[in-house]
Amino acid sequence: MVPWLQGFYNHKYLTILIVQGFLILLAQCSPPTQDFRLYSIQGIDQIQSSIQWHPEAASRNFGRIKTLHLKVVPKSASGPVYLVLNYAPLDRIEVFEDEQETRRLYLTGDTLPLATRPYPAPYFVFPISSDKPTYLKIQSEGPLIVPVELYDVRALASRLLYSYVLFGVFFGLCFLIVVYNAALFLATRDPGFGFYALYTSFGALTSAIMEGFAFPLLWPHWPQWNNVSLVNVGPVAFILAAQFVKAYLRLDKANSYFRWRGLTAYQALTFAVWASQTFLDYSLFAFITAGLWQVFAVLVFAISIYSSLHRERPAYFLLLAWTAFLISSSVTTTRYMGITPESTFTHYAFFIGAGLEYTLLSVGLADRFNSMRKEREEAKAELLEDREIALENQKKLTHSYARFVPEEFLHLLHKDSVLDLQLGEAVERELTILFADIRSFTSISERMTPAENFQFLNGFLASIGPMVREHHGFIDKYIGDSIMALFPRRPEDALDTAIAFRRMLRKYNNRRRASSEQSIDIGIGINTGPVMLGTIGEQQRIDNTAIGDGVNLASRLESLTKLYGITCVISEHTFLRLEDPDQYHLRLIDRVRAKGKTESVSVIELFDGDDERLFEEKEVSRAILEKAIQNYLDGDFSMAQHRFQRIRDQFAEDPLATFYLQRLASMASPESADGMAEWDGVFNMDTK
């Protein structure tokens, strides 16, 4: 227990506890009386120093002198009197009872262990006699600043209470600011928040060292480091502060060359000075470090004014924060120099200014964070809008591609998008192929302008496309006035489409005849077989296509419809793959062999969709027609001719009987008779 602290216990206004060498002050609710007062310089009867002293000042900055001798004579007072030297970075302090300095009471200082202090406070507290002089010998390598204060018990208690409360509030605020900005840095990866957290940490540590709190709380057993900690931590705080200003104002070489370069040059200079401390005299090093702080203060103030004049929003907060800090620093400096009188405000001005600075900069960073969030939200909204536009354009593009490359074609090639198509990709599938062609289109188009031709074709094809898709097919190609459609599911889809074509065509022709326009007719050929689907062309131009004998045969069958004078024919390959052929009205009309082929194929007419009268005639004559064709295939031309003649006489609108009678007549010529010895009943197609 420290004897001179006995008077503190069970006081009316304060409760004092000592825990492991630290003083804990617990304030009670009752306000202090008028006796609860601060003894400043007016409470000292006489101070004599080895240099000139201004007794009206509370403290004195003695500059770079090494040693100072003081004689303190208190006024008469009842109770203990306590001498306080409220400047922590004093290297060595000796307190004597006699002027000859032989009877030493205390030896302590910034370079000595904390245990040498009569009281483990942030600054130096000495109990002295109230009725006789006390002599001090003060030494320091740095600036010799000596704020001398005298207190009675209650005034000292108040003084300590204010110090620790303000310390707790200030450093608690710094801690919250550091944690908050560190969290923002981790969340946003914005270097401004990270550098501010570091700057606040080192700035708070610098303040703790200057005010003497770091020694008893952070390194009480390391006086060697405590003596040099300020000049080591301070420059780091300066460098981090400069880096924060660059990040906060978003300065870089591109848009802020001179401001960025000025701060960078200052950082380099500060680092160079900090690194040179090993071979510089300590007092000179401390003097240069203080000068660097002054340079930094002016530099940041100038940059904040310049940036504010250029309407940079973050600079407004920086200017306010820095102005508050400079004012408080000036008050503290002038207090140490003896210019500003001692008061609660001047005593704690540094903490107040630093707290305002950190708070205002935090507000500025919060404003910047809100601005960043707003910018991100706007950018996100713009991005979403761009994505929606891009998606809509992609949909339009995909839809446009689909009109050139059918989606069903991609599925057959196992592709998800037309972008996946590569030149030369192919697959073999069994499909049903439908060719349809407008008859006599040349003669019709001659009476129309080019624009009317396209309008006519597009109007007609606009009715055909939906019917193909409705029956699970897709149009692979438009070939002038013809189309080629593919049906991957089953042959019935192609036959149903052909029937729908014919019924649509009757209605279409009725409208044309009502408008005194020429009717049109179509020819349809259908075949089923293996088909190669793929892409052909070259790197700059590719196209999808279907190739194979099955495609060629469907095209030849379509051309035969004009020869026979009918509308729609199918091959025996298609007929044999029908699940229920009886659901359609079919009749065998010929057996043909394509040019260049050895195999023949039966040709079958699909007459569903004919007008009612022609449909009835074909249905009635189907049996006798099939017998006549069988006679023809067997080479019994006389019986075949008889039956064809009979059909023509009874059913004049059926053109097939007339076709065969003409063929039989041509076979009776001497030119045709030469080939009758090898008769197989097959009609050889002379064109592909």
Side-chain angles (χ1 to χ4, degrees):
M1 183 69 64
V2 181
W4 56 270
L5 287 176
Q6 296 293 333
F8 283 89
Y9 286 94
N10 299 319
H11 193 274
K12 181 178 179 181
Y13 302 106
L14 298 169
T15 301
I16 310 298
L17 298 177
I18 296 181
V19 181
Q20 294 182 351
F22 290 95
L23 184 67
I24 300 177
L25 301 174
L26 304 177
Q28 297 180 359
C29 298
S30 301
T33 64
Q34 292 181 352
D35 293 333
F36 191 83
R37 59 191 177 85
L38 171 67
Y39 285 92
S40 64
I41 193 66
Q42 286 77 17
I44 300 176
D45 185 51
Q46 181 182 11
I47 292 182
Q48 296 177 357
S49 66
S50 53
I51 64 172
Q52 184 179 2
W53 178 269
H54 296 281
E56 72 277 3
S59 61
R60 175 68 181 176
N61 187 340
F62 294 96
R64 295 176 59 197
I65 66 172
K66 301 295 184 180
T67 304
L68 175 69
H69 297 270
L70 291 179
K71 176 182 178 182
V72 179
V73 182
K75 287 182 178 180
S76 59
S78 60
V81 177
Y82 300 93
L83 173 67
V84 175
L85 300 181
N86 189 18
Y87 183 65
L90 294 175
D91 294 347
R92 184 182 177 92
I93 303 172
E94 296 178 82
V95 181
F96 300 94
E97 289 184 310
D98 60 325
E99 188 174 359
Q100 291 75 25
E101 299 181 351
T102 58
R103 295 192 300 274
R104 186 168 62 191
L105 298 174
Y106 307 106
L107 171 61
T108 187
D110 199 32
T111 60
L112 298 173
L114 186 66
T116 62
R117 299 187 182 188
Y119 177 71
Y123 29 80
F124 302 100
V125 179
F126 304 102
I128 63 173
S129 174
S130 61
D131 55 2
K132 61 181 179 179
T134 300
Y135 301 90
L136 287 83
K137 180 181 179 181
I138 304 171
Q139 296 173 297
S140 185
E141 291 293 325
L144 193 59
I145 301 174
V146 186
V148 180
E149 302 167 2
L150 283 179
Y151 296 94
D152 64 6
V153 172
R154 301 168 75 183
L156 179 61
S158 175
R159 175 74 169 81
L160 292 172
L161 175 63
Y162 285 145
S163 296
Y164 280 107
V165 169
L166 185 59
F167 166 80
V169 172
F170 175 75
F171 289 102
L173 175 65
C174 292
F175 176 77
L176 292 177
I177 289 174
V178 170
V179 172
Y180 175 70
N181 285 278
L184 286 178
F185 169 71
L186 294 176
T188 65
R189 297 298 177 183
D190 184 341
F193 297 110
F195 284 122
Y196 186 58
L198 290 173
Y199 161 54
T200 304
S201 300
F202 278 84
L205 182 58
T206 302
S207 301
I209 295 171
M210 289 179 60
E211 295 298 318
F213 288 102
F215 191 20
L217 297 180
L218 299 180
W219 43 76
H221 306 295
W222 198 1
Q224 295 83 1
W225 163 251
N226 184 64
N227 182 244
V228 296
S229 59
L230 180 60
V231 291
N232 278 276
V233 175
V236 177
F238 301 163
I239 293 173
L240 289 172
Q243 192 63 33
F244 162 70
V245 172
K246 289 196 289 187
Y248 177 66
L249 296 179
R250 298 182 180 180
L251 305 179
D252 54 41
K253 288 183 179 181
N255 62 1
S256 314
Y257 180 76
F258 291 105
R259 287 177 288 170
W260 180 89
R261 193 170 186 179
L263 288 170
T264 303
Y266 173 80
Q267 289 175 300
L269 177 61
T270 302
F271 179 80
V273 171
W274 178 76
S276 67
Q277 62 178 299
T278 55
F279 53 84
L280 281 180
D281 177 72
Y282 177 82
S283 60
L284 177 60
F285 177 71
F287 178 78
I288 295 174
T289 302
L292 286 174
W293 163 249
Q294 301 299 327
V295 171
F296 180 68
V298 174
L299 179 62
V300 173
F301 192 66
I303 288 176
S304 61
I305 291 177
Y306 177 86
S307 301
S308 298
L309 292 175
H310 285 75
R311 300 183 180 277
E312 297 179 15
R313 183 179 176 86
Y316 301 149
F317 296 96
L318 179 62
L319 181 59
L320 288 174
W322 204 248
T323 300
F325 185 66
L326 288 180
I327 291 174
S328 66
S329 298
S330 299
V331 171
T332 301
T333 302
T334 55
R335 168 178 164 265
Y336 282 140
M337 295 175 65
I339 299 173
T340 303
E342 181 73 18
S343 67
T344 301
F345 171 72
T346 58
H347 193 90
Y348 299 113
F350 177 81
F351 285 105
I352 296 172
L356 283 174
E357 179 206 5
Y358 295 150
T359 302
L360 287 170
L361 288 178
S362 295
V363 172
L365 282 170
D367 178 77
R368 174 177 167 177
F369 178 76
N370 290 331
S371 299
M372 290 171 56
R373 183 175 60 181
K374 183 177 180 181
E375 290 174 1
R376 284 197 301 268
E377 289 175 353
E378 292 176 352
K380 185 178 180 180
E382 185 177 353
L383 179 61
L384 289 175
E385 184 179 356
D386 291 342
R387 285 181 177 177
E388 290 178 359
I389 294 174
L391 182 60
E392 185 64 27
N393 291 336
Q394 182 63 38
K395 289 180 179 179
K396 292 179 180 179
L397 185 61
T398 302
H399 180 67
S400 298
Y401 282 148
R403 292 189 294 175
F404 289 95
V405 181
E407 184 177 356
E408 297 84 353
F409 185 88
L410 295 175
H411 291 166
L412 292 173
L413 288 178
H414 308 293
K415 301 295 182 182
D416 296 326
S417 168
V418 68
L419 301 177
D420 299 329
L421 281 179
Q422 300 294 326
L423 180 64
E425 292 183 314
V427 64
E428 186 177 49
R429 288 288 303 272
E430 182 175 282
L431 305 172
T432 299
I433 307 99
L434 180 150
F435 270 88
D437 178 69
I438 300 176
R439 298 270 180 83
S440 305
F441 177 72
T442 302
S443 61
I444 296 174
S445 64
E446 288 175 350
R447 295 191 291 271
M448 295 186 291
T449 65
E452 290 172 338
N453 268 288
F454 277 96
Q455 185 177 2
F456 166 75
L457 283 174
N458 289 330
F460 180 72
L461 296 175
S463 302
I464 289 179
M467 286 187 285
V468 173
R469 292 189 291 273
E470 181 181 347
H471 293 92
H472 311 288
F474 63 94
I475 296 177
D476 179 68
K477 279 185 178 57
Y478 292 101
I479 313 168
D481 59 340
S482 304
I483 67 164
M484 182 178 78
L486 303 178
F487 297 86
R489 202 172 68 131
R490 58 180 193 151
E492 286 84 350
D493 294 334
L495 272 66
D496 294 340
T497 301
I499 296 171
F501 280 179
R502 301 198 63 196
R503 290 172 178 168
M504 177 275 297
L505 186 62
R506 286 208 308 272
K507 296 178 182 179
Y508 184 78
N509 282 332
N510 289 336
R511 292 195 299 269
R512 288 184 64 85
R513 282 192 291 269
S515 303
S516 301
E517 294 179 314
Q518 181 182 347
S519 299
I520 63 172
D521 199 3
I522 60 173
I524 301 173
I526 300 174
N527 180 47
T528 302
V531 174
M532 290 295 296
L533 296 169
T535 55
I536 60 173
E538 46 89 21
Q539 291 297 331
Q540 297 299 319
R541 175 72 170 88
I542 66 173
D543 194 10
N544 60 287
T545 191
I547 59 175
D549 290 341
V551 177
N552 296 334
L553 181 57
S555 177
R556 303 303 170 262
L557 292 176
E558 183 277 319
S559 65
L560 287 177
T561 58
K562 187 175 182 180
L563 178 66
Y564 298 132
I566 57 180
T567 300
C568 181
V569 296
I570 67 174
S571 70
E572 66 177 71
H573 305 308
T574 300
F575 176 80
L576 293 175
R577 286 167 175 78
L578 295 174
E579 294 181 3
D580 182 16
D582 292 337
Q583 66 177 312
Y584 300 102
H585 295 84
L586 305 168
R587 61 178 185 172
L588 177 67
I589 59 173
D590 205 351
R591 189 161 185 83
V592 300
R593 181 183 294 112
K595 185 176 181 180
K597 301 296 180 180
T598 58
E599 296 181 357
S600 60
V601 60
S602 296
V603 180
I604 302 165
E605 180 188 10
L606 171 68
F607 58 91
D608 288 289
D610 283 352
D611 61 63
E612 294 182 4
R613 181 175 178 180
L614 181 58
F615 175 83
E616 291 177 359
E617 288 186 358
K618 290 181 179 180
E619 181 66 18
V620 172
S621 65
R622 178 165 55 174
I624 189 172
L625 177 66
E626 290 179 349
K627 290 179 180 180
I629 291 177
Q630 189 60 50
N631 294 145
Y632 169 78
L633 295 175
D634 293 340
D636 188 354
F637 301 129
S638 176
M639 181 58 68
Q641 185 174 10
H642 171 72
R643 285 175 170 165
F644 283 130
Q645 186 64 50
R646 183 178 160 190
I647 293 171
R648 188 173 69 173
D649 292 342
Q650 294 181 6
F651 308 103
E653 293 189 12
D654 188 351
L656 196 58
T658 301
F659 167 76
Y660 268 102
L661 288 173
Q662 292 175 352
R663 177 183 284 184
L664 288 171
S666 65
M667 291 170 57
S669 64
E671 294 82 0
S672 301
D674 295 338
M676 294 304 294
E678 299 179 359
W679 174 254
D680 58 1
V682 177
F683 172 67
N684 292 303
M685 302 174 64
D686 296 330
T687 59
K688 290 186 176 182

